[in-house]
Amino acid sequence: MIFSALTIATASAQVTVEAKLDSMSRLVGEQARLTLEVTAPTGKTVKLPEINVGQMLVGDVEVVTVSGVDTLPLNDGKQMQLTQTFDITSFCDHDTIYQLPALAIQVEGQSHETKPLAIKVFTLDVDTLHKEQFFPPKEIERPWLTWDDIKMLVYTYWGFIALLVVMLFLLYRYRAGKPILSLNIRREKKLPPHQVAMDEINKIKSERKWAEDDSKEYYTRLTDALRRYMTERHGFNAMEMTSDEIIEHLLQLDDVMLDELRQLFTTADLVKFAKASTLIGENDLNLVNAIAYIQQTKIEEDENAKPEPEPISEEQKQYKVQRRIMVGVIVVSIATAAGLLVWMGYRLWELFS
């Protein structure tokens, strides 16, 4: 930017004042910057001219903005430089040269003036032959394609891709004879009641120290194994019965080894509730009697019996349901994908036609 060289320096007691414009010409309505600089000894009282926003400097030249005063120390602080800027403009109706007046600055009561400046304001050419023709401002030109135009197309495209992936996955699982999700449900074979009871008693036998250190725990586990066996074998809830109720129920069934069972349950009740002591031989005898009772009352499976047809397992039921679901989802996916393709083709034709 070209700065005008129209400046003035007044050297009186080391005081310098200067005014300058950033341009000597401007188009009507454009702004020019007027800069005022004052250099004076540090500590001197400086009073700058009072220029306010909206004030007319001369003619149609108007002050638009007024900055604050910036102070800069010079010569190791012996002097100070004060700077203030003004933005000015003009809305004249013809080409005009304006002479800006000199600006007066007071330093310690002594007046110092800048040199007057000049600025030329150019106006726009006007068609004087067709004054009645007025043209409104042009509308903002809209781009031919915006995000709002294609966002639904983009969303539909990604939805189509996702639907295609799902459809291909289901087709693969269906053709491979696999369910939608692998069913890793383990179904353990149910053991006969006597086998379950014998497994528990074998665990008790392997920990014989309970018979010496903790008879209560020993008899609790032994009688619980017998109660569960009786529940499964005879069909009554032995787990919720007292020892006497169990014996009375077995009497009605003409069961075997009732005296031995009565002795076993009586000893167990004394140990668990009366904290009675037992002998090692007594504990072993009750264990043997429990095993003998189970062996005499167990029901053996008939190896020659024809196996009953195995009912449809829960896994097979779920597999059949998932196969039907896969067929339905595949059919719906194909129809939906076809509809999305038709809509995307129509939308593309609208955008580019």
Side-chain angles (χ1 to χ4, degrees):
M1 185 177 292
I2 301 175
F3 290 89
S4 67
L6 299 177
T7 63
I8 184 171
T10 302
S12 175
Q14 296 181 339
V15 175
T16 303
V17 295
E18 181 182 10
K20 54 186 177 181
L21 284 168
D22 61 353
S23 178
M24 298 179 62
S25 62
R26 273 290 185 265
L27 187 64
V28 62
E30 289 185 337
Q31 295 182 7
R33 174 152 295 184
L34 172 63
T35 303
L36 175 61
E37 292 182 354
V38 179
T39 302
T42 301
K44 297 292 183 180
T45 303
V46 179
K47 183 178 181 182
L48 300 179
E50 293 185 3
I51 301 176
N52 301 314
V53 175
Q55 177 181 337
M56 297 296 181
L57 288 181
V58 60
D60 293 326
V61 178
E62 180 183 358
V63 178
V64 179
T65 62
V66 179
S67 73
V69 179
D70 292 331
T71 302
L72 179 67
L74 300 175
N75 299 330
D76 296 330
K78 297 178 181 179
Q79 289 183 306
M80 58 181 178
Q81 183 183 66
L82 285 71
T83 305
Q84 189 174 24
T85 60
F86 310 91
D87 290 330
I88 59 176
T89 188
S90 176
F91 291 95
C92 57
D93 55 2
H94 59 279
D95 295 353
T96 308
I97 297 178
Y98 293 100
Q99 184 175 353
L100 304 181
L103 301 178
I105 298 95
Q106 301 289 329
V107 180
E108 290 293 331
Q110 186 176 359
S111 180
H112 303 270
E113 290 187 352
T114 64
K115 183 178 179 180
L117 303 175
I119 184 171
K120 183 174 183 178
V121 180
F122 295 94
T123 56
L124 298 173
D125 295 332
V126 179
D127 187 358
T128 57
L129 298 178
H130 305 89
K131 296 181 180 181
E132 71 284 353
Q133 293 185 3
F134 295 95
F135 299 96
K138 294 183 178 180
E139 295 182 357
I140 299 176
E141 185 177 355
R142 184 179 182 274
W144 73 276
L145 194 63
T146 64
W147 170 245
D148 290 336
D149 296 328
I150 63 172
K151 64 180 180 180
M152 286 304 300
L153 187 63
V154 174
Y155 295 153
T156 305
Y157 170 76
W158 286 113
F160 172 79
I161 295 298
L163 188 63
L164 190 63
V165 170
V166 173
M167 185 172 61
L168 293 176
F169 171 76
L170 293 178
L171 279 172
Y172 166 75
R173 301 291 289 186
Y174 184 83
R175 290 173 64 88
K178 299 179 180 180
I180 300 176
L181 300 175
S182 298
L183 302 174
N184 296 323
I185 302 176
R186 288 189 174 183
R187 296 179 62 87
E188 297 182 358
K189 184 179 178 181
K190 185 177 180 180
L191 297 176
H194 68 273
Q195 185 64 53
V196 175
M198 288 304 301
D199 289 345
E200 177 64 21
I201 291 177
N202 287 331
K203 291 180 182 179
I204 297 173
K205 287 172 61 178
S206 65
E207 301 174 5
R208 292 181 57 86
K209 62 178 183 178
W210 285 357
E212 302 174 4
D213 301 334
D214 194 350
S215 297
K216 179 178 179 180
E217 181 69 17
Y218 175 83
Y219 278 101
T220 298
R221 291 187 61 178
L222 182 61
T223 54
D224 283 349
L226 281 174
R227 289 170 184 271
R228 281 191 291 269
Y229 170 72
M230 293 174 182
T231 300
E232 296 291 332
R233 171 64 179 81
H234 297 297
F236 65 91
N237 191 4
M239 296 298 296
E240 301 295 332
M241 293 182 177
T242 64
S243 299
D244 292 338
E245 291 174 343
I246 292 175
I247 299 300
E248 290 179 4
H249 206 90
L250 294 177
L251 284 172
Q252 297 175 7
L253 298 176
D254 294 330
D255 210 349
V256 298
M257 297 184 64
L258 295 180
D259 292 337
E260 289 81 356
L261 290 178
R262 182 181 290 106
Q263 180 63 35
L264 189 155
F265 279 111
T266 300
T267 302
D269 290 342
L270 291 174
V271 170
K272 290 191 292 184
F273 304 113
K275 299 182 179 180
S277 300
T278 59
L279 301 175
I280 297 297
E282 186 179 3
N283 295 337
D284 291 340
L285 177 62
N286 286 325
L287 182 69
V288 171
N289 289 334
I291 295 174
Y293 172 77
I294 294 172
Q295 295 294 338
Q296 293 183 32
T297 57
K298 69 179 180 179
I299 299 177
E300 296 287 354
E301 296 182 358
D302 188 359
E303 297 180 356
N304 298 323
K306 295 182 179 179
E308 296 182 0
E310 185 179 353
I312 298 177
S313 65
E314 188 66 25
E315 293 87 343
Q316 292 174 326
K317 291 180 181 179
Q318 293 185 17
Y319 174 72
K320 290 184 176 181
V321 171
Q322 291 195 24
R323 295 277 289 182
R324 288 194 290 267
I325 293 175
M326 280 193 287
V327 173
V329 173
I330 290 172
V331 172
V332 173
S333 299
I334 293 174
T336 305
L340 292 178
L341 280 176
V342 172
W343 185 87
M344 286 191 293
Y346 173 74
R347 184 59 182 159
L348 288 172
W349 177 81
E350 277 188 332
L351 291 175
F352 296 100
S353 62

